Amino acid sequence: MTNRPTGTVTFLFTDIEGSTQRWEGDPTKMQAAHSRHEAILRRAVEDNGGYAYKMIGDAFQVAFPTARQALQAALEAQRSLHSESWGEDGELRVRMALHTGITEEREGDYVGPLLNRVARLMSAGHGGQVLVSLATYELVRDYLPSGVTLKDIGEYRLKDLIRPEHVFQLVAPDLPSDFPPLKTLENRPNNLPLQPTPFIGREKELTALVKLLLHEDVRLVTLTGPAGVGKSRLAVQAAAELVDDFADGVFFVSLASAIDPTLVVSGIAQALGVKEAGDRPLLDVLKEELRSKSMLLVLDNFEQVVQAAPLVSELLQSASQLKILATSRTVLHLRGEKEFPVPSLSMPDPKRLPKIETLLQYEAVALFIQRALDVKPDFAITNDSAPAVAKICVRLDGLPLAIELAATRIRFLPPQAMLARLQSRLKLLTGGARDLPARQQTLRGAIEWSYDLLDEGEQQLFRRMAVFQGGRRLEALEAVCNAEGDLEIDLLDGVESLVSNSLLRQEEDESGEPSFVMLETIHEYAKERLEESGEAETLRRRHTDYFLALAEEAEPHLRGPRQVEWMELLEREHDNFRAALQWSLETGQEGRIGAVDQSQDGAEGLMYLRLAGVLGRFWDVRGHLSEGRQWLKRVLDKSHATQSAEGNTLTLLRARALLAMGRLSRKQGDLTQAQALLSEGLALYEQVEDKWGIAETLNILATAKYGAGEYGAARPLWERALASFREVNDESGIARTLNNLGEMARARGDYKSARTYYEQGLAVMRQQGEARATAVLTLNLGSIEQRLGNYSRAAELFKESLAPSSDLGDISLIAICIYGFAAIAAGKQQGKRAATLFAAGAALLQTIGIVLDPSDRIEHDRSMAAARAQVDEGVWAKAWEEGRAMSMEQAVAYALE
């Protein structure tokens, strides 16, 4: 079999002319003809060293290591097709095209503008015709077979809208040579602007948009999206694709300078070459001109003349074969209008970057690299620079304009240096091409264009929304942006307007609750406007007050039957909590104690200390361990130096924060620090006689000592904790302490006692409806069954534990469940499966910095050693790599197989 050509490659693309009609006319005959056609092409390809890497329907895509081989294959195929007897249905005519260039590859497939170019060249031809690009011509011109020539048929604008292509036609004495004019832009009425760069990405969107516009019942489509997302470029490319489908042409009308809606008619007329006629209104003349025309109009930048939308409706009503494709930040709100939101370019996950060779599968990265090469031909993405390029694309929201502006800076800013400067995107992203409209020469100009089109009330709401980070729920918007009732627009109307103007994006959670998100590039501009307004500090105080109150409302629900629901809410609002913490730390703001200590109602307390203490359990369960420790260290350091709160208030707040930080430190294996923090916190809880705090701190302190191997010190602390929890009637605390006593018994090999402790705790937790504690206890029961060799029962328990763990998003529990399945696989002599699961679990724990307790580590290492002995090193290494590459969802699915 021919090897896959790489480097400089010549591509041969083929397609049967009129195949659809043949299939519809007589599928049986066409099937037979198609099979003969395929055999002929495959023989020609194989005889000449080609690599047929893809067949789409009846279209071949073939790569050749040399242009001479590709030309010979095309010649032989056309000769065989022409000489074949095709029967009463007539000759099967195949169009072909050849083009040469340097390949790009992605996941075993060729990709990039080179393939788009050869596809466009082929689509311009006719059945029986072979078209050759200039690049291929230069390579074969001196090596043509006897009697064969390449006829120069001139330069043509292909549908990719970049530079014209110099086209040649293969001519042989035994093949047809007279064909109609090529199906290119020159031979179809249009005024589509030539584009300076290739169209990159958007294949799915382009296909969907073209299909939508070809639908018989669709007359008006509006591309919507924020500034810089590439609406105009997509519209122009779609128009080029459709040039053969509108007998009277496709026409582009730029409305960028038409700030007066009354100028829309004259703009369309000018693009179509329609002149005024005497005293007749130009609109009437235009409607008469379009009445019988099969035409597509592209109305670009309609947002600033949206008041002229009724005109669009008039034109469509008067011309039954007219279709209109508009680009706008907002829909036109006309009957029959189909909105087509234009998304950002696809981006990699910066937390799980793919291998460098697959980064190009992401449109944003491909665009950055291509535009960087335009200004720095020797630019190359390396293992060192790849993460920075990926993160740049993510930080720029996948916006084509922002990415193109950033790529122009590559002349003097390598990716790593550029990434460091993206804190101020709007300052960095300037210097676009001078032949672009002014608003597209800087990212700020593009966004400002949208902002200036808002009315005063919409601008006010837009500015105020900048105080949020991440999502914005309606309840929060009302509390923060309209707390004094001074918003100059109805909140719902304002939000709807900002969404329709593509300055906000609406998302919904699983309950259907809407949340509103700004792209970071737009958010930066909104923050600038907020600072200029003089309202910034007032809004930030309102924002922090609201999210502190939300966290304190959530706290009692973080254990109990609603903990999944509340954990999800806090996760969705995590960015806002971060913003509130940052502001309160920077300013040292104080707030009402409220629910923190009812005996101190009315006293002042430290907002940052309150907020961090409340969020401690959330950070624990959701795996934000390192981040939580960083916040808690900052608030503890600051509160230690302040005198803003006195007496029991500050003591209680510090105790809570110390407990939270001690818990997180223990989970990450920093046991010395954990014990110090928890001991300090215990002393403070005892000082204020907070019995629940004493019990909880004793429980975690005992766990830290157990993890450090101080078994003798751990047990009496757990027994004290158990007594204290019973004194305050905390069923959850009782069950969690019983679980810890069970852990100690299990480590000693006393499975009977361990099972008793677990089952007692589990009964309590199921009655309480607390998902996490139920999952932990079920998991531990499964571990006993696994160690006893009861693998079926163990698997049932691990599966039962995985469900609530996944609902909670508790990465540590999910990973340890996966370890349980790995141990089962090891016990059943399934070494390869065990390796994959051990690796997947290890990768998950590594993402959050979890360290196993020594007793758990001993059992883990024993099972992994057993599994490793069951397979050779090569099998183990491959399985391990597969496991580490799995996402959490993939790992869970594999464990459950």
Side-chain angles (χ1 to χ4, degrees):
M1 182 177 178
T2 304
N3 291 327
R4 182 185 189 85
T6 58
T8 301
V9 173
T10 298
F11 288 94
L12 166 64
F13 278 26
T14 76
D15 181 46
I16 299 175
E17 184 178 62
S19 62
T20 301
Q21 290 84 349
R22 284 185 177 242
W23 282 109
E24 292 175 350
D26 193 329
T28 302
K29 286 185 178 180
M30 183 55 185
Q31 180 62 58
H34 175 263
S35 297
R36 290 158 64 194
H37 144 268
E38 181 178 348
I40 288 170
L41 260 67
R42 289 196 181 279
R43 184 169 60 250
V45 167
E46 291 170 5
D47 288 349
N48 290 281
Y51 179 83
Y53 66 92
K54 188 176 292 185
M55 188 175 184
I56 305 173
D58 49 43
F60 271 82
Q61 296 182 8
V62 188
F64 290 85
T66 70
R68 292 169 63 183
Q69 289 170 292
L71 183 75
Q72 185 64 35
L75 178 62
E76 290 178 10
Q78 288 290 20
R79 281 173 167 165
S80 297
L81 290 165
H82 185 60
S83 62
E84 185 80 5
S85 176
W86 296 100
E88 60 185 23
D89 290 330
E91 181 179 350
L92 205 67
R93 295 166 60 85
V94 178
R95 55 183 176 178
M96 302 182 182
L98 299 170
H99 183 44
T100 306
I102 298 175
T103 60
E104 298 174 25
E105 295 188 53
R106 178 195 309 157
E107 296 183 344
D109 196 6
Y110 296 111
V111 296
L114 176 64
L115 300 189
N116 294 335
R117 197 74 171 162
V118 65
R120 313 257 185 233
L121 181 59
M122 182 196 68
S123 68
H126 302 275
Q129 190 173 31
V130 179
L131 299 178
V132 178
S133 71
L134 177 61
T136 304
Y137 169 80
E138 293 293 347
L139 294 171
V140 300
R141 58 186 296 183
D142 298 325
Y143 305 97
L144 296 174
S146 177
V148 174
T149 61
L150 290 174
K151 178 182 178 182
D152 186 343
I153 56 177
E155 285 194 343
Y156 293 89
R157 291 177 63 203
L158 303 178
K159 292 180 182 180
D160 51 11
L161 292 168
I162 56 174
R163 66 187 186 283
E165 180 67 60
H166 203 135
V167 182
F168 299 82
Q169 177 187 309
L170 185 147
V171 177
D174 52 346
L175 292 176
S177 58
D178 294 328
F179 298 97
L182 297 187
K183 294 178 283 186
T184 60
L185 294 176
E186 283 84 358
N187 296 317
R188 296 289 187 273
N190 77 90
N191 69 339
L192 297 178
L194 194 65
Q195 300 298 304
T197 54
F199 185 72
I200 294 177
R202 306 284 200 205
E203 287 90 352
K204 292 180 181 177
E205 289 82 4
L206 181 61
T207 299
L209 179 56
V210 167
K211 183 178 180 180
L212 181 62
L213 284 163
L214 287 174
H215 198 282
E216 184 178 354
D217 297 332
V218 173
R219 303 284 308 286
L220 170 63
V221 176
T222 303
L223 300 184
T224 60
V229 80
K231 301 184 292 293
S232 299
R233 185 67 176 90
L234 178 59
V236 171
Q237 190 61 51
E241 297 288 336
L242 290 164
V243 72
D244 294 329
D245 296 283
F246 293 88
D248 298 297
V250 295
F251 290 88
F252 179 83
V253 182
S254 174
L255 300 173
S257 59
I259 56 176
D260 185 343
T262 62
L263 298 177
V264 175
V265 173
S266 58
I268 297 173
Q270 183 178 358
L272 298 179
V274 175
K275 306 293 184 183
E276 295 191 51
D279 58 355
R280 290 183 65 197
L282 181 57
L283 177 58
D284 291 346
V285 178
L286 182 60
K287 289 159 72 173
E288 181 63 33
E289 175 70 20
L290 293 172
R291 192 174 307 281
S292 60
K293 296 290 179 67
S294 170
M295 185 181 292
L296 174 66
L297 282 182
V298 179
L299 305 182
D300 192 40
N301 292 120
F302 207 92
E303 60 265 10
Q304 60 179 350
V305 288
V306 72
Q307 297 89 341
L311 164 67
V312 172
S313 185
E314 280 192 61
L315 293 177
L316 291 171
Q317 289 174 21
S318 64
S320 62
Q321 298 182 74
L322 174 69
K323 296 196 177 192
I324 291 178
L325 174 60
T327 73
S328 175
R329 289 180 305 110
T330 180
V331 292
L332 279 54
H333 294 291
L334 296 174
R335 287 181 299 171
E337 178 183 19
K338 302 292 185 183
E339 182 182 6
F340 192 102
V342 179
S344 297
L345 297 174
S346 61
M347 299 169 283
D349 180 353
K351 296 179 182 178
R352 297 180 67 90
L353 285 178
K355 295 179 181 178
I356 186 171
E357 56 268 24
T358 62
L359 265 181
L360 275 173
Q361 69 181 287
Y362 298 98
E363 297 166 332
V365 175
L367 179 63
F368 182 95
I369 293 172
Q370 186 60 50
R371 297 299 182 258
L373 287 170
D374 291 341
V375 299
K376 195 174 188 296
D378 62 345
F379 174 76
I381 192 166
T382 65
N383 287 326
D384 291 334
S385 65
V389 169
K391 290 175 183 177
I392 287 169
C393 293
V394 172
R395 293 284 295 278
L396 297 178
D397 302 309
L399 289 177
L401 175 59
I403 291 168
E404 292 187 344
L405 291 171
T408 63
R409 298 289 192 183
I410 208 70
R411 293 188 188 94
F412 57 90
L413 275 181
Q416 295 91 328
M418 186 184 299
L419 179 63
R421 288 165 171 79
L422 277 182
Q423 293 293 343
S424 301
R425 301 169 184 78
L426 302 183
K427 292 179 181 178
L428 179 69
L429 303 180
T430 62
R434 291 190 177 92
D435 57 348
L436 286 171
R439 70 180 188 283
Q440 293 183 11
Q441 293 182 28
T442 69
L443 187 59
R444 175 181 278 105
I447 299 171
E448 195 161 48
W449 166 274
S450 299
Y451 178 80
D452 289 343
L453 293 174
L454 301 175
D455 64 32
E456 190 171 336
E458 292 166 340
Q459 290 181 350
Q460 181 194 40
L461 178 58
F462 175 73
R463 293 191 303 266
R464 290 184 174 185
M465 292 176 97
V467 74
F468 288 87
Q469 194 73 33
R472 299 153 179 83
R473 294 181 302 130
L474 288 172
E475 176 187 324
L477 287 172
E478 185 67 51
V480 175
C481 296
N482 197 30
E484 305 297 330
D486 59 345
L487 194 62
E488 297 176 16
I489 187 174
D490 177 79
L491 180 71
L492 284 176
D493 290 344
V495 169
E496 182 180 3
S497 177
L498 293 176
V499 170
S500 67
N501 280 284
S502 302
L503 292 168
L504 282 179
R505 184 175 68 245
Q506 181 174 341
E507 298 177 350
E508 292 184 358
D509 60 27
E510 293 179 357
S511 68
E513 177 74 18
S515 182
F516 302 91
V517 179
M518 279 184 185
L519 295 179
E520 282 303 307
T521 46
I522 294 174
H523 189 208
E524 184 174 328
Y525 179 83
K527 286 190 286 188
E528 288 184 359
R529 291 295 188 175
L530 178 61
E531 292 294 336
E532 294 169 1
S533 73
E535 295 185 315
E537 288 307 298
T538 299
L539 267 293
R540 290 191 179 111
R541 176 57 189 250
R542 291 181 190 170
H543 176 272
T544 302
D545 282 342
Y546 176 82
F547 283 100
L548 175 57
L550 179 64
E552 292 179 339
E553 180 186 1
E555 185 178 27
H557 301 292
L558 298 184
R559 299 188 191 277
R562 297 183 63 194
Q563 67 179 160
V564 171
E565 171 191 341
W566 280 93
M567 286 288 181
E568 282 294 329
L569 176 60
L570 296 189
E571 186 70 63
R572 288 195 298 273
E573 298 290 7
H574 198 183
D575 284 336
N576 281 307
F577 290 125
R578 291 177 175 121
L581 276 168
Q582 184 65 30
W583 180 76
S584 58
L585 275 165
E586 289 175 351
T587 60
Q589 289 296 316
E590 300 176 354
R592 306 296 294 180
I593 280 296
V596 172
D597 186 351
Q598 296 297 332
S599 66
Q600 296 290 324
D601 189 27
E604 294 295 322
L606 301 174
M607 299 178 78
Y608 53 82
L609 193 54
R610 292 165 58 191
L611 185 52
V614 171
L615 291 175
R617 176 155 176 78
F618 160 73
W619 286 326
D620 174 17
V621 173
R622 300 296 288 205
H624 304 294
L625 307 182
S626 296
E627 179 181 357
R629 290 177 72 185
Q630 291 169 10
W631 284 117
L632 286 160
K633 183 179 187 308
R634 289 179 65 186
V635 302
L636 285 167
D637 288 348
K638 191 173 183 68
S639 67
H640 187 71
T642 186
Q643 299 300 318
S644 297
E646 298 177 354
N648 290 354
T649 299
L650 179 57
T651 301
L652 181 57
L653 290 172
R654 280 188 57 82
R656 288 189 175 186
L658 287 163
L659 170 60
M661 190 171 178
R663 187 196 308 271
L664 301 183
S665 300
R666 185 205 69 79
K667 289 195 77 170
Q668 290 197 310
D670 194 346
L671 300 177
T672 300
Q673 183 185 66
Q675 291 189 49
L677 291 164
L678 293 163
S679 296
E680 182 182 351
L682 179 61
L684 295 180
Y685 273 125
E686 289 174 337
Q687 182 180 326
V688 296
E689 299 180 352
D690 186 303
K691 293 182 179 179
W692 180 90
I694 292 169
E696 184 70 7
T697 308
L698 283 169
N699 192 22
I700 306 304
L701 179 59
T703 307
K705 288 186 177 296
Y706 173 76
E710 300 177 35
Y711 306 132
R715 186 177 184 87
L717 292 175
W718 273 325
E719 289 174 344
R720 283 181 59 194
L722 188 59
S724 296
F725 279 130
R726 283 173 172 156
E727 189 176 351
V728 295
N729 198 32
D730 183 344
E731 297 287 351
S732 173
I734 292 169
R736 287 183 285 109
T737 310
L738 288 171
N739 175 74
N740 291 333
L741 289 167
E743 288 289 270
M744 176 174 277
R746 178 159 62 102
R748 295 197 314 266
D750 183 359
Y751 297 146
K752 181 178 179 181
S753 296
R755 182 183 280 115
T756 299
Y757 282 126
Y758 293 150
E759 289 176 345
Q760 288 176 355
L762 187 57
V764 173
M765 286 298 92
R766 282 177 172 161
Q767 186 176 7
Q768 294 289 315
E770 186 170 318
R772 187 174 191 274
T774 299
V776 170
L777 287 155
T778 305
L779 168 63
N780 289 338
L781 281 170
S783 295
I784 289 180
E785 299 298 337
Q786 175 265 314
R787 293 184 189 187
L788 293 173
N790 301 325
Y791 298 136
S792 295
R793 178 58 181 154
E796 290 175 5
L797 290 165
F798 291 148
K799 181 177 180 180
E800 187 179 335
S801 179
L802 261 180
S805 301
S806 299
D807 291 341
L808 282 164
D810 192 318
I811 297 173
S812 62
L813 282 184
I814 292 169
I816 295 170
C817 278
I818 290 172
Y819 273 160
F821 281 106
I824 290 174
K828 297 171 72 173
Q829 300 294 305
Q830 298 170 346
K832 180 176 181 294
R833 173 175 167 81
T836 303
L837 289 168
F838 275 127
L844 288 174
L845 290 183
Q846 188 176 3
T847 63
I848 56 176
I850 287 285
V851 177
L852 293 177
D853 288 332
S855 59
D856 291 331
R857 170 57 63 185
I858 291 170
E859 183 61 31
H860 167 276
D861 291 349
R862 184 184 297 124
S863 293
M864 192 161 73
R868 193 159 195 159
Q870 294 164 15
V871 294
D872 63 44
E873 281 300 312
V875 172
W876 180 272
K878 184 177 180 182
W880 188 269
E881 184 178 348
E882 290 173 356
R884 287 195 65 82
M886 286 180 172
S887 67
M888 184 169 72
E889 293 75 17
Q890 290 170 330
V892 169
Y894 184 73
L896 293 175
E897 285 180 0

